Amino acid sequence: MLRKTAIATGLMLGLLAAPAFAAKTIVYCSEGSPEGFNPMFYTTGTTHDATSAQLFNRLAEFEVGTTNIVPGLATAWEISPDGLSYTFKLRKGVKFHTTDKYTPTRDFNADDVLFTWFRQADPNHPFNKNTPGVNYAYFQDMGMDKIVDKVEKLDDYTVVFKLKAPNAPFLANMAMDFMSIQSAEFAARMKEAGTPEVIDREPVGTGPFRVVSYQKDAVIRYKAHDKYFEGRPKLDNVIFAITPDASVRLAKVKTGECQLMAYPKPADLPALRADKSINLLTKEGLNIG
């Protein structure tokens, strides 16, 4: 499964009958390389498609193809009558990725929520300035530090966000990519090893896939997260074939080198709609420029 792929804004097309592979693999012709692998730092759809959509989850999430807010790493939430308090009940039994550098010793819990929040909200947090030259642009642009007054852990599976004033889009904000939940244990382990920068370069999340290799401007390879809490993905492998030129992406789809691509040239749309071997999908963009 591809979570929140590039159909979020614009157009996507793919072959109606994709070639068979030895393993269940899909190749997606991406329009560019991600800026990095920590979705806290970036605002572009290209980066979020390659990072938060595949690798991470959030407390609340958007139902695929809609703006409906549904449970993610939180199974439920309660909002106080005055709209100032949001109590999130966290999902139990959620496993983080295992990588060459990290094997989790515990499941996801409230400590990971607090780590993800305070890393962005507190300038004095030990990981706030972990990677030089980047900032928490989305968090800051959404004014999250001005919306939220306190975040408290009631127990390992209950977290309360207390707001400064009622805020209608708060839940939707929490479902955005910048609130992708990271592992506090992974961060602590890498800090102990003297390599804290690894957490932003070699991501560990709870999402349906994990990164196994990346060659800048060429390819990203993902493997299924066998212990994913929503069930193991139906795909074994996902490959992002980074192909900036739209004409080349289209040629790769037509030859079966890729099964999906985003953002065809507008001039090509009439021919694509007439091509019975192509499935052209469209979705209105949520951005206004």
Side-chain angles (χ1 to χ4, degrees), residues 165-196:
N167 184 271
F170 173 71
L171 271 179
N173 292 352
M174 294 294 286
M176 300 292 282
D177 301 87
F178 69 87
M179 277 305 296
S180 295
I181 301 299
Q182 301 185 345
S183 167
E185 184 190 50
F186 178 47
R189 193 88 59 83
M190 292 302 99
K191 186 176 181 181
E192 290 171 3
T195 56

PDB file of all heavy atoms in Angstrom, residues 165-196:
ATOM      1  N   ALA A 165      -6.347  28.625  23.652  1.00  0.00           N
ATOM      2  CA  ALA A 165      -7.690  29.066  23.272  1.00  0.00           C
ATOM      3  C   ALA A 165      -8.279  27.992  22.369  1.00  0.00           C
ATOM      4  O   ALA A 165      -7.538  27.228  21.744  1.00  0.00           O
ATOM      5  CB  ALA A 165      -7.634  30.415  22.550  1.00  0.00           C
ATOM      6  N   PRO A 166      -9.600  27.891  22.290  1.00  0.00           N
ATOM      7  CA  PRO A 166     -10.190  26.906  21.369  1.00  0.00           C
ATOM      8  C   PRO A 166      -9.676  27.121  19.954  1.00  0.00           C
ATOM      9  O   PRO A 166      -9.498  28.259  19.514  1.00  0.00           O
ATOM     10  CB  PRO A 166     -11.696  27.183  21.473  1.00  0.00           C
ATOM     11  CG  PRO A 166     -11.874  27.814  22.816  1.00  0.00           C
ATOM     12  CD  PRO A 166     -10.629  28.639  23.037  1.00  0.00           C
ATOM     13  N   ASN A 167      -9.430  26.013  19.255  1.00  0.00           N
ATOM     14  CA  ASN A 167      -8.836  26.096  17.927  1.00  0.00           C
ATOM     15  C   ASN A 167      -9.442  25.029  17.035  1.00  0.00           C
ATOM     16  O   ASN A 167      -9.168  23.833  17.214  1.00  0.00           O
ATOM     17  CB  ASN A 167      -7.312  25.937  18.034  1.00  0.00           C
ATOM     18  CG  ASN A 167      -6.619  26.122  16.697  1.00  0.00           C
ATOM     19  OD1 ASN A 167      -6.450  25.174  15.946  1.00  0.00           O
ATOM     20  ND2 ASN A 167      -6.212  27.346  16.407  1.00  0.00           N
ATOM     21  N   ALA A 168     -10.269  25.449  16.084  1.00  0.00           N
ATOM     22  CA  ALA A 168     -11.009  24.495  15.250  1.00  0.00           C
ATOM     23  C   ALA A 168     -10.113  23.552  14.447  1.00  0.00           C
ATOM     24  O   ALA A 168     -10.418  22.362  14.355  1.00  0.00           O
ATOM     25  CB  ALA A 168     -11.958  25.259  14.320  1.00  0.00           C
ATOM     26  N   PRO A 169      -9.018  24.009  13.838  1.00  0.00           N
ATOM     27  CA  PRO A 169      -8.222  23.094  13.019  1.00  0.00           C
ATOM     28  C   PRO A 169      -7.168  22.300  13.791  1.00  0.00           C
ATOM     29  O   PRO A 169      -6.325  21.646  13.167  1.00  0.00           O
ATOM     30  CB  PRO A 169      -7.549  24.034  12.012  1.00  0.00           C
ATOM     31  CG  PRO A 169      -7.382  25.310  12.752  1.00  0.00           C
ATOM     32  CD  PRO A 169      -8.602  25.410  13.652  1.00  0.00           C
ATOM     33  N   PHE A 170      -7.202  22.307  15.116  1.00  0.00           N
ATOM     34  CA  PHE A 170      -6.134  21.654  15.880  1.00  0.00           C
ATOM     35  C   PHE A 170      -5.965  20.184  15.501  1.00  0.00           C
ATOM     36  O   PHE A 170      -4.846  19.715  15.270  1.00  0.00           O
ATOM     37  CB  PHE A 170      -6.384  21.787  17.384  1.00  0.00           C
ATOM     38  CG  PHE A 170      -5.407  21.004  18.222  1.00  0.00           C
ATOM     39  CD1 PHE A 170      -4.085  21.409  18.315  1.00  0.00           C
ATOM     40  CD2 PHE A 170      -5.805  19.851  18.900  1.00  0.00           C
ATOM     41  CE1 PHE A 170      -3.172  20.688  19.067  1.00  0.00           C
ATOM     42  CE2 PHE A 170      -4.900  19.126  19.653  1.00  0.00           C
ATOM     43  CZ  PHE A 170      -3.587  19.548  19.738  1.00  0.00           C
ATOM     44  N   LEU A 171      -7.064  19.432  15.442  1.00  0.00           N
ATOM     45  CA  LEU A 171      -6.949  18.010  15.105  1.00  0.00           C
ATOM     46  C   LEU A 171      -6.380  17.809  13.705  1.00  0.00           C
ATOM     47  O   LEU A 171      -5.558  16.914  13.480  1.00  0.00           O
ATOM     48  CB  LEU A 171      -8.309  17.326  15.214  1.00  0.00           C
ATOM     49  CG  LEU A 171      -8.684  16.737  16.575  1.00  0.00           C
ATOM     50  CD1 LEU A 171     -10.072  16.115  16.497  1.00  0.00           C
ATOM     51  CD2 LEU A 171      -7.668  15.712  17.042  1.00  0.00           C
ATOM     52  N   ALA A 172      -6.824  18.629  12.764  1.00  0.00           N
ATOM     53  CA  ALA A 172      -6.287  18.526  11.407  1.00  0.00           C
ATOM     54  C   ALA A 172      -4.795  18.842  11.394  1.00  0.00           C
ATOM     55  O   ALA A 172      -4.011  18.196  10.679  1.00  0.00           O
ATOM     56  CB  ALA A 172      -7.038  19.464  10.471  1.00  0.00           C
ATOM     57  N   ASN A 173      -4.380  19.820  12.183  1.00  0.00           N
ATOM     58  CA  ASN A 173      -2.955  20.133  12.286  1.00  0.00           C
ATOM     59  C   ASN A 173      -2.167  18.932  12.802  1.00  0.00           C
ATOM     60  O   ASN A 173      -1.056  18.638  12.323  1.00  0.00           O
ATOM     61  CB  ASN A 173      -2.725  21.313  13.230  1.00  0.00           C
ATOM     62  CG  ASN A 173      -3.262  22.622  12.691  1.00  0.00           C
ATOM     63  OD1 ASN A 173      -3.685  22.713  11.539  1.00  0.00           O
ATOM     64  ND2 ASN A 173      -3.271  23.652  13.525  1.00  0.00           N
ATOM     65  N   MET A 174      -2.732  18.232  13.764  1.00  0.00           N
ATOM     66  CA  MET A 174      -2.044  17.078  14.345  1.00  0.00           C
ATOM     67  C   MET A 174      -1.906  15.923  13.360  1.00  0.00           C
ATOM     68  O   MET A 174      -1.090  15.022  13.552  1.00  0.00           O
ATOM     69  CB  MET A 174      -2.787  16.614  15.600  1.00  0.00           C
ATOM     70  CG  MET A 174      -2.763  17.629  16.734  1.00  0.00           C
ATOM     71  SD  MET A 174      -1.105  17.886  17.401  1.00  0.00           S
ATOM     72  CE  MET A 174      -0.882  16.365  18.329  1.00  0.00           C
ATOM     73  N   ALA A 175      -2.724  15.948  12.310  1.00  0.00           N
ATOM     74  CA  ALA A 175      -2.648  14.909  11.281  1.00  0.00           C
ATOM     75  C   ALA A 175      -1.680  15.265  10.156  1.00  0.00           C
ATOM     76  O   ALA A 175      -1.475  14.451   9.251  1.00  0.00           O
ATOM     77  CB  ALA A 175      -4.040  14.650  10.696  1.00  0.00           C
ATOM     78  N   MET A 176      -1.091  16.450  10.235  1.00  0.00           N
ATOM     79  CA  MET A 176      -0.172  16.886   9.181  1.00  0.00           C
ATOM     80  C   MET A 176       1.175  16.184   9.316  1.00  0.00           C
ATOM     81  O   MET A 176       1.531  15.652  10.365  1.00  0.00           O
ATOM     82  CB  MET A 176       0.008  18.398   9.237  1.00  0.00           C
ATOM     83  CG  MET A 176      -1.282  19.179   9.047  1.00  0.00           C
ATOM     84  SD  MET A 176      -1.963  19.044   7.383  1.00  0.00           S
ATOM     85  CE  MET A 176      -0.899  20.185   6.510  1.00  0.00           C
ATOM     86  N   ASP A 177       1.948  16.230   8.235  1.00  0.00           N
ATOM     87  CA  ASP A 177       3.180  15.453   8.146  1.00  0.00           C
ATOM     88  C   ASP A 177       4.200  15.811   9.228  1.00  0.00           C
ATOM     89  O   ASP A 177       4.942  14.949   9.696  1.00  0.00           O
ATOM     90  CB  ASP A 177       3.805  15.637   6.764  1.00  0.00           C
ATOM     91  CG  ASP A 177       2.868  15.212   5.648  1.00  0.00           C
ATOM     92  OD1 ASP A 177       2.058  16.049   5.202  1.00  0.00           O
ATOM     93  OD2 ASP A 177       2.917  14.051   5.244  1.00  0.00           O
ATOM     94  N   PHE A 178       4.261  17.084   9.625  1.00  0.00           N
ATOM     95  CA  PHE A 178       5.269  17.492  10.602  1.00  0.00           C
ATOM     96  C   PHE A 178       5.070  16.837  11.964  1.00  0.00           C
ATOM     97  O   PHE A 178       5.988  16.800  12.781  1.00  0.00           O
ATOM     98  CB  PHE A 178       5.310  19.024  10.756  1.00  0.00           C
ATOM     99  CG  PHE A 178       4.098  19.625  11.403  1.00  0.00           C
ATOM    100  CD1 PHE A 178       3.995  19.740  12.783  1.00  0.00           C
ATOM    101  CD2 PHE A 178       3.047  20.091  10.625  1.00  0.00           C
ATOM    102  CE1 PHE A 178       2.874  20.301  13.375  1.00  0.00           C
ATOM    103  CE2 PHE A 178       1.921  20.651  11.215  1.00  0.00           C
ATOM    104  CZ  PHE A 178       1.827  20.755  12.590  1.00  0.00           C
ATOM    105  N   MET A 179       3.871  16.299  12.224  1.00  0.00           N
ATOM    106  CA  MET A 179       3.618  15.615  13.489  1.00  0.00           C
ATOM    107  C   MET A 179       3.786  14.099  13.379  1.00  0.00           C
ATOM    108  O   MET A 179       3.244  13.336  14.190  1.00  0.00           O
ATOM    109  CB  MET A 179       2.232  15.970  14.022  1.00  0.00           C
ATOM    110  CG  MET A 179       2.190  17.286  14.785  1.00  0.00           C
ATOM    111  SD  MET A 179       3.369  17.383  16.167  1.00  0.00           S
ATOM    112  CE  MET A 179       2.755  16.085  17.250  1.00  0.00           C
ATOM    113  N   SER A 180       4.571  13.659  12.401  1.00  0.00           N
ATOM    114  CA  SER A 180       4.913  12.240  12.294  1.00  0.00           C
ATOM    115  C   SER A 180       5.692  11.823  13.540  1.00  0.00           C
ATOM    116  O   SER A 180       6.707  12.428  13.881  1.00  0.00           O
ATOM    117  CB  SER A 180       5.766  12.007  11.038  1.00  0.00           C
ATOM    118  OG  SER A 180       5.019  12.281   9.872  1.00  0.00           O
ATOM    119  N   ILE A 181       5.236  10.777  14.196  1.00  0.00           N
ATOM    120  CA  ILE A 181       5.789  10.405  15.505  1.00  0.00           C
ATOM    121  C   ILE A 181       7.109   9.652  15.343  1.00  0.00           C
ATOM    122  O   ILE A 181       7.197   8.654  14.623  1.00  0.00           O
ATOM    123  CB  ILE A 181       4.789   9.556  16.304  1.00  0.00           C
ATOM    124  CG1 ILE A 181       3.482  10.337  16.512  1.00  0.00           C
ATOM    125  CG2 ILE A 181       5.393   9.139  17.643  1.00  0.00           C
ATOM    126  CD1 ILE A 181       3.621  11.631  17.290  1.00  0.00           C
ATOM    127  N   GLN A 182       8.119  10.150  16.062  1.00  0.00           N
ATOM    128  CA  GLN A 182       9.453   9.570  16.031  1.00  0.00           C
ATOM    129  C   GLN A 182       9.736   8.820  17.327  1.00  0.00           C
ATOM    130  O   GLN A 182       9.044   8.990  18.327  1.00  0.00           O
ATOM    131  CB  GLN A 182      10.487  10.664  15.795  1.00  0.00           C
ATOM    132  CG  GLN A 182      10.251  11.409  14.483  1.00  0.00           C
ATOM    133  CD  GLN A 182      11.342  12.413  14.179  1.00  0.00           C
ATOM    134  OE1 GLN A 182      12.139  12.779  15.038  1.00  0.00           O
ATOM    135  NE2 GLN A 182      11.381  12.869  12.940  1.00  0.00           N
ATOM    136  N   SER A 183      10.773   8.008  17.306  1.00  0.00           N
ATOM    137  CA  SER A 183      11.115   7.157  18.437  1.00  0.00           C
ATOM    138  C   SER A 183      12.071   7.868  19.395  1.00  0.00           C
ATOM    139  O   SER A 183      13.210   8.182  19.038  1.00  0.00           O
ATOM    140  CB  SER A 183      11.771   5.866  17.943  1.00  0.00           C
ATOM    141  OG  SER A 183      12.369   5.164  19.022  1.00  0.00           O
ATOM    142  N   ALA A 184      11.613   8.086  20.615  1.00  0.00           N
ATOM    143  CA  ALA A 184      12.477   8.687  21.637  1.00  0.00           C
ATOM    144  C   ALA A 184      13.618   7.741  21.998  1.00  0.00           C
ATOM    145  O   ALA A 184      14.745   8.183  22.276  1.00  0.00           O
ATOM    146  CB  ALA A 184      11.652   9.018  22.880  1.00  0.00           C
ATOM    147  N   GLU A 185      13.347   6.447  22.007  1.00  0.00           N
ATOM    148  CA  GLU A 185      14.394   5.478  22.339  1.00  0.00           C
ATOM    149  C   GLU A 185      15.490   5.469  21.280  1.00  0.00           C
ATOM    150  O   GLU A 185      16.685   5.420  21.608  1.00  0.00           O
ATOM    151  CB  GLU A 185      13.805   4.074  22.488  1.00  0.00           C
ATOM    152  CG  GLU A 185      14.843   3.056  22.937  1.00  0.00           C
ATOM    153  CD  GLU A 185      14.352   1.624  22.873  1.00  0.00           C
ATOM    154  OE1 GLU A 185      13.812   1.219  21.820  1.00  0.00           O
ATOM    155  OE2 GLU A 185      14.528   0.908  23.877  1.00  0.00           O
ATOM    156  N   PHE A 186      15.116   5.524  20.018  1.00  0.00           N
ATOM    157  CA  PHE A 186      16.097   5.566  18.931  1.00  0.00           C
ATOM    158  C   PHE A 186      16.991   6.797  19.073  1.00  0.00           C
ATOM    159  O   PHE A 186      18.219   6.710  18.945  1.00  0.00           O
ATOM    160  CB  PHE A 186      15.360   5.581  17.584  1.00  0.00           C
ATOM    161  CG  PHE A 186      16.240   5.681  16.373  1.00  0.00           C
ATOM    162  CD1 PHE A 186      17.362   4.887  16.230  1.00  0.00           C
ATOM    163  CD2 PHE A 186      15.912   6.560  15.345  1.00  0.00           C
ATOM    164  CE1 PHE A 186      18.167   4.967  15.085  1.00  0.00           C
ATOM    165  CE2 PHE A 186      16.703   6.650  14.217  1.00  0.00           C
ATOM    166  CZ  PHE A 186      17.826   5.857  14.088  1.00  0.00           C
ATOM    167  N   ALA A 187      16.370   7.940  19.370  1.00  0.00           N
ATOM    168  CA  ALA A 187      17.143   9.166  19.549  1.00  0.00           C
ATOM    169  C   ALA A 187      18.133   9.023  20.704  1.00  0.00           C
ATOM    170  O   ALA A 187      19.320   9.382  20.582  1.00  0.00           O
ATOM    171  CB  ALA A 187      16.213  10.350  19.787  1.00  0.00           C
ATOM    172  N   ALA A 188      17.660   8.499  21.832  1.00  0.00           N
ATOM    173  CA  ALA A 188      18.537   8.332  22.990  1.00  0.00           C
ATOM    174  C   ALA A 188      19.679   7.369  22.686  1.00  0.00           C
ATOM    175  O   ALA A 188      20.840   7.603  23.081  1.00  0.00           O
ATOM    176  CB  ALA A 188      17.725   7.833  24.182  1.00  0.00           C
ATOM    177  N   ARG A 189      19.371   6.303  21.975  1.00  0.00           N
ATOM    178  CA  ARG A 189      20.394   5.308  21.638  1.00  0.00           C
ATOM    179  C   ARG A 189      21.465   5.914  20.727  1.00  0.00           C
ATOM    180  O   ARG A 189      22.658   5.676  20.915  1.00  0.00           O
ATOM    181  CB  ARG A 189      19.722   4.120  20.954  1.00  0.00           C
ATOM    182  CG  ARG A 189      20.576   2.885  20.816  1.00  0.00           C
ATOM    183  CD  ARG A 189      20.501   1.976  22.023  1.00  0.00           C
ATOM    184  NE  ARG A 189      19.141   1.527  22.277  1.00  0.00           N
ATOM    185  CZ  ARG A 189      18.565   0.483  21.654  1.00  0.00           C
ATOM    186  NH1 ARG A 189      19.228  -0.177  20.713  1.00  0.00           N
ATOM    187  NH2 ARG A 189      17.338   0.116  21.976  1.00  0.00           N
ATOM    188  N   MET A 190      21.046   6.695  19.748  1.00  0.00           N
ATOM    189  CA  MET A 190      22.018   7.297  18.842  1.00  0.00           C
ATOM    190  C   MET A 190      22.847   8.375  19.553  1.00  0.00           C
ATOM    191  O   MET A 190      24.035   8.550  19.261  1.00  0.00           O
ATOM    192  CB  MET A 190      21.303   7.891  17.628  1.00  0.00           C
ATOM    193  CG  MET A 190      20.673   6.856  16.704  1.00  0.00           C
ATOM    194  SD  MET A 190      21.832   5.610  16.029  1.00  0.00           S
ATOM    195  CE  MET A 190      21.530   4.210  17.132  1.00  0.00           C
ATOM    196  N   LYS A 191      22.222   9.093  20.494  1.00  0.00           N
ATOM    197  CA  LYS A 191      22.978  10.087  21.262  1.00  0.00           C
ATOM    198  C   LYS A 191      24.049   9.410  22.110  1.00  0.00           C
ATOM    199  O   LYS A 191      25.197   9.870  22.192  1.00  0.00           O
ATOM    200  CB  LYS A 191      22.034  10.901  22.138  1.00  0.00           C
ATOM    201  CG  LYS A 191      22.721  12.058  22.851  1.00  0.00           C
ATOM    202  CD  LYS A 191      21.730  12.909  23.638  1.00  0.00           C
ATOM    203  CE  LYS A 191      22.444  14.072  24.311  1.00  0.00           C
ATOM    204  NZ  LYS A 191      21.499  14.907  25.102  1.00  0.00           N
ATOM    205  N   GLU A 192      23.692   8.290  22.738  1.00  0.00           N
ATOM    206  CA  GLU A 192      24.657   7.537  23.535  1.00  0.00           C
ATOM    207  C   GLU A 192      25.823   7.049  22.680  1.00  0.00           C
ATOM    208  O   GLU A 192      26.964   6.981  23.147  1.00  0.00           O
ATOM    209  CB  GLU A 192      23.971   6.341  24.193  1.00  0.00           C
ATOM    210  CG  GLU A 192      23.000   6.715  25.304  1.00  0.00           C
ATOM    211  CD  GLU A 192      22.185   5.532  25.774  1.00  0.00           C
ATOM    212  OE1 GLU A 192      22.422   4.408  25.267  1.00  0.00           O
ATOM    213  OE2 GLU A 192      21.298   5.720  26.632  1.00  0.00           O
ATOM    214  N   ALA A 193      25.534   6.710  21.421  1.00  0.00           N
ATOM    215  CA  ALA A 193      26.575   6.224  20.508  1.00  0.00           C
ATOM    216  C   ALA A 193      27.415   7.351  19.934  1.00  0.00           C
ATOM    217  O   ALA A 193      28.388   7.096  19.212  1.00  0.00           O
ATOM    218  CB  ALA A 193      25.929   5.422  19.385  1.00  0.00           C
ATOM    219  N   GLY A 194      27.030   8.602  20.229  1.00  0.00           N
ATOM    220  CA  GLY A 194      27.767   9.740  19.697  1.00  0.00           C
ATOM    221  C   GLY A 194      27.411  10.085  18.266  1.00  0.00           C
ATOM    222  O   GLY A 194      28.129  10.838  17.605  1.00  0.00           O
ATOM    223  N   THR A 195      26.261   9.573  17.786  1.00  0.00           N
ATOM    224  CA  THR A 195      25.832   9.825  16.403  1.00  0.00           C
ATOM    225  C   THR A 195      24.375  10.281  16.369  1.00  0.00           C
ATOM    226  O   THR A 195      23.537   9.668  15.687  1.00  0.00           O
ATOM    227  CB  THR A 195      25.998   8.566  15.542  1.00  0.00           C
ATOM    228  OG1 THR A 195      25.254   7.477  16.167  1.00  0.00           O
ATOM    229  CG2 THR A 195      27.460   8.170  15.402  1.00  0.00           C
ATOM    230  N   PRO A 196      24.021  11.359  17.075  1.00  0.00           N
ATOM    231  CA  PRO A 196      22.608  11.774  17.127  1.00  0.00           C
ATOM    232  C   PRO A 196      22.054  12.172  15.762  1.00  0.00           C
ATOM    233  O   PRO A 196      20.839  12.094  15.540  1.00  0.00           O
ATOM    234  CB  PRO A 196      22.626  12.963  18.083  1.00  0.00           C
ATOM    235  CG  PRO A 196      24.017  13.491  18.017  1.00  0.00           C
ATOM    236  CD  PRO A 196      24.886  12.276  17.838  1.00  0.00           C
TER     237      PRO A 196
END
